[in-house]
Amino acid sequence: MADIFSKIAAGEIPSYKVAANDEFYAFLDINPVAMGHTLVIPRREVDYLFDMEDDELARMIVFAKRVAKALKKAFPCRKVGVAVLGLEVAHAHIHLVPMQSEKDMDFRKEKLSPKPEELEAAAARIRSFFE
Ligand code: AMP
């Protein structure tokens, strides 16, 4: 049975899409640590980022870089933070977080719960800067 992120990439479960190509998919985290918090995933089912083959992982990082550039334009920040946790969802993903300070990378703090219209607006803004 496909995992939740595979279903999201396949469009079987709705998500706030940020960017996509034939191999990778980027969408907003629904409980962000900061507005614009985005997840980048391979469409292929693989549990953990560092289980991926070198070539595929390299392409994913380059795709994530393009997403991060759009994210920085959409949500001006000091840097876009990059994190790999994977403790909750067993499908490889990279967290990209617009960071004003290191506190924005504290995944233990209470997460935000934006309204659907706020998430849709954020996703549309990031999409508009994606090249
Ligand atoms: P982790 O596996 O520890 O890296 O955490 C998984 C992340 O996925 C968390 O930040 C969740 O808020 C996020 N998440 C879980 N389900 C969804 C979903 N359906 N749409 C968007 N983000 C999700």
Side-chain angles (χ1 to χ4, degrees), residues 80-98:
V80 173
V82 182
V84 176
L85 285 82
L87 296 173
E88 193 187 310
V89 178
H91 181 120
H93 53 281
I94 297 173
H95 294 258
L96 298 177
V97 181

Side-chain angles (χ1 to χ4, degrees), residues 4-5 8 13-15 27-32 37 39 84-91 93 95 107 111:
I4 179 167
F5 282 3
I8 283 177
I13 291 179
S15 67
F27 59 107
L28 292 183
D29 194 304
I30 37 166
N31 287 125
H37 180 174
L39 303 174
V84 176
L85 285 82
L87 296 173
E88 193 187 310
V89 178
H91 181 120
H93 53 281
H95 294 258
F107 284 74
K111 307 274 181 70

Side-chain angles (χ1 to χ4, degrees), residues 48-93:
Y48 180 57
L49 194 77
F50 297 137
D51 291 335
M52 292 171 69
E53 294 297 330
D54 292 356
D55 288 1
E56 187 184 20
L57 178 60
R59 289 192 299 275
M60 181 159 156
I61 295 288
V62 172
F63 181 78
K65 173 180 165 179
R66 290 170 61 203
V67 176
K69 285 193 182 294
L71 204 45
K72 193 162 194 302
K73 288 180 184 153
F75 290 91
C77 54
R78 286 177 61 196
K79 295 239 163 106
V80 173
V82 182
V84 176
L85 285 82
L87 296 173
E88 193 187 310
V89 178
H91 181 120
H93 53 281

